[in-house]
């Protein structure tokens, strides 16, 4: 089955800096790659996703890139703000969704 | 649009007791998922329903876990008897359609279960 690895496990940045989180997947049949943000005591919230026929997608300060050949995809957050502090999960889906272990992002004011 | 509703939000039980969780998906969403999220880990799929039929329950510990989605709307997940390692957040998610997992999934707030 699909195996998703996510790095780093923790990331601390200064407000205004950029943050990058990287994930690799194992199943070449995976065709859907969402990113979720989870705040304390809440369920994961979908923030951006990308499908395998696209290499890059951007939505305001967040962007996702996908390299199908290398089987990795990344989340980029620019101009980080304290409210971006949360745990971020990547996932990959050939059929059932497999999640990475999460990255705890801290944005220091 | 109302989101995915779950109850209860918190539950504390002793090992060997039973517990049930309830989920009401977003209106019109045909697919419903139950995930288990252990502290410090990503969600792990337990079971997926398409309408009232099971699509995938390969990771559901069927000796103690059961789930149903009567009438293709609400769903309940039951654990009987509970073990200490079942302590986790149980998340329900729904998506508009499709069995391939390639449709956007929207999560509820989860039920935090503590087994003592």
């Amino acid at each position: 089955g699909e195996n998703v690895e996510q790095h780093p496990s923790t990331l601390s940045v200064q407000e205004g800096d950029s943050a990058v989180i990287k994930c690799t997947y194992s199943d070449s049949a995976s065709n859907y790659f969402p990113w979720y943000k989870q705040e304390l005591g809440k369920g994961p919230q979908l923030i951006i996703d990308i499908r395998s026929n696209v290499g890059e997608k951007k939505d305001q300060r967040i962007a996702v890139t996908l390299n199908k050949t290398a089987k990795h995809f990344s989340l980029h957050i620019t101009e980080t703000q304290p409210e971006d502090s949360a745990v971020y999960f990547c996932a990959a889906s050939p059929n059932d969704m497999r999640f990475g272990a999460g990255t705890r992002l801290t944005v220091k004011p | 649009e109302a989101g995915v509703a779950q109850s209860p939000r918190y539950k504390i039980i002793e090992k060997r007791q039973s517990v049930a969780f309830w989920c009401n998906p977003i209106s019109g969403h045909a697919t419903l998922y139950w995930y288990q999220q252990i502290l410090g880990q990503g969600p792990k799929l337990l079971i997926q329903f398409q309408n009232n039929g099971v699509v995938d329950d390969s990771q559901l510990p069927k000796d103690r876990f059961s789930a149903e989605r009567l009438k293709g709307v609400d769903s309940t997940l039951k654990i009987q008897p509970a073990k200490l390692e079942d302590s986790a957040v149980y998340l329900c998610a729904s998506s508009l359609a499709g069995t391939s997992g390639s449709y956007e999934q929207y999560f509820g707030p989860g039920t935090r279960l503590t087994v003592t």
Side-chain angles (χ1 to χ4, degrees), chain A residues 6-52:
Chain A
Q6 183 171 348
H7 301 279
S9 57
T10 61
L11 180 60
S12 182
V13 300
Q14 208 65 38
E15 181 178 0
D17 288 350
S18 295
V20 181
I21 303 170
K22 299 181 180 182
C23 288
T24 60
Y25 62 98
S26 60
D27 191 339
S28 56
S30 287
N31 56 11
Y32 176 61
F33 307 91
W35 286 88
Y36 287 86
K37 175 183 180 182
Q38 188 171 29
E39 296 175 291
L40 195 62
K42 297 184 179 180
Q45 175 193 5
L46 180 67
I47 57 171
I48 195 167
D49 57 12
I50 191 167
R51 299 181 194 274
S52 58

Side-chain angles (χ1 to χ4, degrees), chain A residues 31-32 36 38 41-44 46 49 51 89 93-102, chain B residues 9 35 37 40-43 45 56 59 91 99-109:
Chain A
N31 56 11
Y32 176 61
Y36 287 86
Q38 188 171 29
K42 297 184 179 180
L46 180 67
D49 57 12
R51 299 181 194 274
F89 291 97
S93 176
N95 290 301
D96 59 312
M97 194 94 78
R98 298 296 175 111
F99 285 79
Chain B
R9 292 296 315 275
Y35 288 87
Q37 186 176 25
Q41 299 181 18
L45 180 68
D56 182 0
Q59 298 189 88
L91 295 162
T99 59
S100 68
S102 297
Y103 290 80
E104 295 85 348
Q105 295 185 24
Y106 298 90
F107 284 81

Side-chain angles (χ1 to χ4, degrees), chain B residues 5-112:
Chain B
Q6 290 188 247
S7 68
R9 292 296 315 275
Y10 306 92
K11 191 73 177 179
I12 301 173
I13 61 172
E14 295 181 352
K15 59 183 179 184
R16 292 188 290 273
Q17 287 187 324
S18 62
V19 64
F21 312 126
W22 173 83
C23 172
N24 181 244
I26 294 172
S27 178
H29 280 197
T31 308
L32 185 147
Y33 314 80
W34 282 103
Y35 288 87
Q36 180 192 58
Q37 186 176 25
I38 292 173
L39 187 64
Q41 299 181 18
K44 183 184 86 169
L45 180 68
L46 293 174
I47 189 167
Q48 176 183 343
F49 292 94
Q50 175 80 2
N51 296 309
N52 60 351
V54 175
V55 173
D56 182 0
D57 63 357
S58 58
Q59 298 189 88
L60 187 74
K62 298 180 187 65
D63 58 333
R64 298 183 301 106
F65 286 64
S66 64
E68 60 181 12
R69 191 184 184 197
L70 301 175
K71 302 180 182 178
V73 181
D74 294 6
S75 177
T76 56
L77 176 70
K78 296 179 182 178
I79 308 175
Q80 181 180 11
K83 293 184 175 181
L84 295 176
E85 57 261 36
D86 298 332
S87 294
V89 175
Y90 290 85
L91 295 162
C92 179
S94 68
S95 64
L96 190 60
T99 59
S100 68
S102 297
Y103 290 80
E104 295 85 348
Q105 295 185 24
Y106 298 90
F107 284 81
T111 296
R112 180 176 295 278

